[in-house]
Structure formats: structure tokens, C-alpha cells
Amino acid sequence: MTYDHALDAALNRLHDEGRYRTFIDIERRRGHYPHAVWTRPDGSEKEITVWCGNDYLGMGQHPQVLAAMHEALEATGAGSGGTRNISGTTVYHKRLEAELADLHRKEAALIFTSAYVANDATLSTLPRIFPGLIIYSDALNHASMIEGIRRNGGARRIFRHNDLAHLRELLAADDPAAPKMIAFESIYSMDGDFGPIKAICDLADEFNALTYIDEVHAVGMYGPRGAGVAERDGQMARIDIVNGTLAKAYGVFGGYIAASAKMVDAVRSYAPGFIFTTSLPPAIAAGAAVSVNVLKTAQHLRDAQQTNARILKMRLKGLGMPIIDNGTHIVPVHVGDPIHCKMLSDMLLETYGIYVQPINFPTVPRGTERLRFTPSPVHDSRQIDHLVRAMDALWGHCALNRAELSA
């Protein structure tokens, strides 16, 4: 077989299974999000509304964030010029890390180019810091956590999703003297369900394990200052390492961990994914720091976002849509077939100007394909009404099941 034949075969498999990923060309317009312009393959343009973005609170358009980025860009130029160790640490990076440490009430924070890199770099490095470390990982953890744990060369145990009895069984079966860490998420983004933070922390205390939580879909969104679900539930002090993103609710770019000063220093000193990567551009760090600071006192945005999510869920449920409702801001609508899922997405975009990306395997298991809506405070009632009417019409057109799923 030639290399070209192998490439053709690999790509054709994706097309045949209905899960070939198509990138949609869109241009967000400053001050008008969630409105955007879609450039079709033929070069024509269409006004659309973005319903699948992760800029959950519209902070990517916030005037204070944009002003801070402009100021830093004019002051420093485009890039940082190096790794954090070699000329790539600026006052903007230090300011952002101080904001994040304060957000999570930790001694220190460390910023990475993405939350994926932060998870991968940290989890793959920890066994070098704690020889013999066993990591207990929720079965539905994000790919970045799975990859970091897989690459670290240490022992790992996979517990069934949110199954505390199974987690206890695994913890009890291992050497009591072995160092241990439980890695889990506060919000699992595909089903929109919460991790049982307090119960996991109780098990960690009982078995002398560290705790590592991914709050990527929760930072900015939950808790009185936006520190996440652990803050909302009063469990923040019981978490040893927090992973978060600056690219979702904060609307900018990058990822981070927050922990004790010693833990951050050790990861900073040992993780290749941090050491050998050029640091964030100063303008990005400046904008992110302002966004984090603003959202510490912007409960009205969190409230408005939750209200819109509840309204959308209620209206779609009223039509018998198979909603997966676990009480978070994420609104997944189960389709169950990759071809139907892509078809619905395409028709919503072309006919109704509604952009929602199909979520197919391997992001979710086969047979659970879905459309995943992320309402924000800047989606208004007319846009919600337009979306609901479009879903009603297309669901009937595609003759899909309206029996509601249980959460």
C-alpha cells in the first residue's frame, strides 16, 4: 500500500461513518457576539448566530479586556520572545498568575498555552515528583487528562464515572503507603454533569490522597467569585491542584494550574511541557488578567447565563427533545447517529443561520452523538425563540425520536 492510499483509506473511513470533521469559516464581529458571519465554500457570506461557542459569558468582547490587550500590544509588541525561563516572563504574566492564585485562594498559579497542555504537562510530570504515584482517574475525564496520565509511566486506575463505591474499592486495594492522587472534573462538558467534589475529597482524606480537579468548564461560571464548582460547594481549600482555562468563560486564551507554592514550583521546574514552550504573548496575558478580575465581581453575568440555559432547556423539553439535563449551563440534545447529527447541524446553519457543531465519536461514545448548545448572557429571547422553532421544524423533518432522555 502506498502512503497516499493509506491516507485515502483513513479519511474515507471518517466520511463513511459520517464523522468527518468540517471546519466552518466564521468571523466574529466585535461588539456583536453571538452574531458572526459565515463564509460559505463558494465565497458568499451569511449572517449567523453562534450557539456552540465556549466564550460562555461574552468576555471575548468585553471593552476592558480589549483595552488591556491593546495597551499591552502597544507597550510590548506581539510575542513574548521566549520561554518563561529565557526572556519570556513579563509583568503581564506575573500579574495574571497573581490574579489566578487569588481567584482559587492558593499560594501560586502557573500559566500554560492551553488547559490541555496544563493537564498533560502536570499529570505526566507528577510521578517524577512523587515516585510510585498512583493516579485514580474518572472514566470520563478529558482527553488531556487521559493523555497526561497515560504518558507519565506511573500506575493508573480508572474508576467508573462518578462511581464513589468503585473509587473506594480501587483505593482500598492499593498499598496504603503508596502516594495517591484522584483526578476528576467539576463539570463533564459532554453530558453537563457535576463531579461529586465533597465525596471525592472525603475519600482523599480517608486514603491520604492528593486531589486534582479540572474546572475548565466551571471557572468564571460558578462560585461567588467565579472560581468554579469547588468554590460554590465550599470545597476549594480541599483541592490540591486546580486546572482551569482562560479560553472559555474568560474569553481569551491559555490555561493554568493553581496550587501550593511548592507544588507549582515543582511542576514549573520539572514539566517539559512548561519549560520548553514559548510563553503566552503579553497582550493575551494582559487581557486574561483583566477578564479574571472583572468576573470576580460580575455575578449578574453568571446569573443571566444560567437563566438563559434554564429557559432553553425548558423550551426544548416542552417539545419533547431528548435533553441531557444535569443542572449545568451546558445543553446537550441527544441525536444518537453521526449522519443525522451532521445533517441537523448543516440544515440549522444553511436554512436558519444557527451555528452548532455536531459532537461525534471519539469526543463522545458511538450512539450518543449530539448537538451541544451553550447559551450565554448575550443571547436574547428572540434568538432563543428562533432556535427552538428551528429545532422543532427540523426534528420533525428528520423524523427523530421525541422521547425525553433521563439525565
Side-chain angles (χ1 to χ4, degrees):
M1 178 182 287
T2 68
Y3 293 115
D4 278 349
H5 287 158
L7 291 170
D8 288 338
L11 292 171
N12 285 336
R13 281 197 302 273
L14 297 178
H15 283 288
D16 292 343
E17 294 172 12
R19 58 186 187 93
Y20 179 78
R21 298 184 182 212
T22 302
F23 295 159
I24 305 298
D25 250 348
I26 67 168
E27 181 181 346
R28 302 203 324 172
R29 297 288 168 89
R30 176 179 172 178
H32 296 284
Y33 186 74
H35 293 292
V37 174
W38 167 42
T39 303
R40 294 183 174 99
D42 65 5
S44 63
E45 294 185 344
K46 181 180 178 68
E47 295 280 341
I48 63 169
T49 302
V50 178
W51 273 101
C52 58
N54 286 332
D55 186 357
Y56 290 140
L57 300 177
M59 293 300 292
Q61 307 280 307
H62 196 284
Q64 287 177 252
V65 173
L66 300 183
M69 295 181 73
H70 279 295
E71 180 183 348
L73 182 65
E74 292 300 323
T76 68
S80 69
T83 65
R84 289 292 296 275
N85 185 51
I86 305 175
S87 81
T89 296
T90 70
V91 293
Y92 301 101
H93 296 87
K94 300 300 287 184
R95 188 176 302 151
L96 174 55
E97 287 173 340
E99 284 284 1
L100 292 167
D102 172 74
L103 174 69
H104 294 287
R105 304 300 193 197
K106 299 297 184 188
E107 294 176 339
L110 192 66
I111 51 176
F112 294 77
T113 50
S114 72
Y116 188 110
V117 173
N119 269 333
D120 184 22
T122 303
L123 289 166
S124 63
T125 297
L126 288 171
R128 297 178 63 189
I129 301 169
F130 304 106
L133 179 69
I134 303 169
I135 298 184
Y136 303 81
S137 175
D138 189 286
L140 293 190
N141 276 343
H142 189 264
S144 57
M145 300 175 76
I146 294 169
E147 186 62 23
I149 293 167
R150 181 183 295 142
R151 288 199 311 108
N152 68 28
R156 63 182 187 269
R157 312 281 186 260
I158 311 301
F159 62 94
R160 291 184 293 271
H161 177 53
N162 280 351
D163 189 331
L164 297 169
H166 189 215
L167 174 57
R168 168 182 284 281
E169 178 185 323
L170 293 174
L171 287 162
D174 283 318
D175 180 356
K180 301 174 178 68
M181 170 174 280
I182 306 171
F184 64 108
E185 300 187 37
S186 64
I187 293 177
Y188 294 85
S189 64
M190 289 303 111
D191 284 347
D193 58 332
F194 291 106
I197 298 175
K198 181 181 184 302
I200 286 178
C201 289
D202 289 344
L203 283 174
D205 289 346
E206 182 180 346
F207 289 93
N208 191 31
L210 296 169
T211 50
Y212 185 107
I213 191 170
D214 180 311
E215 290 257 32
V216 160
H217 290 274
V219 289
M221 302 289 294
Y222 295 83
R225 299 169 76 238
V229 182
E231 181 188 37
R232 183 200 70 176
D233 294 352
Q235 303 297 308
M236 206 158 54
R238 305 179 73 189
I239 301 295
D240 293 295
I241 304 177
V242 180
N243 169 276
T245 186
L246 302 164
K248 291 184 170 59
Y250 294 117
V252 191
F253 183 76
Y256 64 90
I257 61 167
S260 68
K262 286 183 180 179
M263 185 75 78
V264 167
D265 195 18
V267 172
R268 178 189 72 87
S269 301
Y270 280 92
F274 175 81
I275 296 169
F276 298 105
T277 300
T278 299
S279 65
L280 289 178
I284 297 293
V290 168
S291 185
V292 172
N293 181 268
V294 166
L295 283 183
K296 287 176 181 176
T297 56
Q299 187 60 37
H300 65 287
L301 290 177
R302 287 187 276 277
D303 291 342
Q305 200 279 338
Q306 292 287 340
T307 296
N308 279 348
R310 283 194 297 270
I311 290 170
L312 180 58
K313 288 178 184 178
M314 178 184 67
R315 294 200 59 188
L316 291 174
K317 282 182 181 179
L319 296 173
M321 296 287 168
I323 302 297
I324 304 169
D325 186 1
N326 288 298
T328 66
H329 61 282
I330 294 167
V331 186
V333 180
H334 183 271
V335 178
D337 176 88
I339 294 173
H340 280 147
C341 202
K342 178 68 164 63
M343 184 188 308
L344 279 168
S345 173
D346 288 346
M347 289 190 294
L348 283 167
L349 184 64
E350 183 63 57
T351 306
Y352 296 94
I354 291 168
Y355 174 40
V356 57
Q357 192 72 8
I359 307 294
N360 293 331
F361 178 84
T363 306
V364 295
R366 295 180 194 274
T368 70
E369 292 82 4
R370 67 201 62 182
L371 299 175
R372 178 179 171 273
F373 296 96
T374 52
S376 76
V378 292
H379 287 95
D380 60 33
S381 58
R382 289 182 298 106
Q383 290 163 345
I384 293 174
D385 189 62
H386 181 59
L387 170 60
V388 170
R389 291 176 184 274
M391 284 291 287
D392 188 27
L394 291 180
W395 213 260
H397 175 76
C398 296
L400 293 173
N401 182 17
R402 289 183 186 259
E404 185 177 337
L405 285 181
S406 58

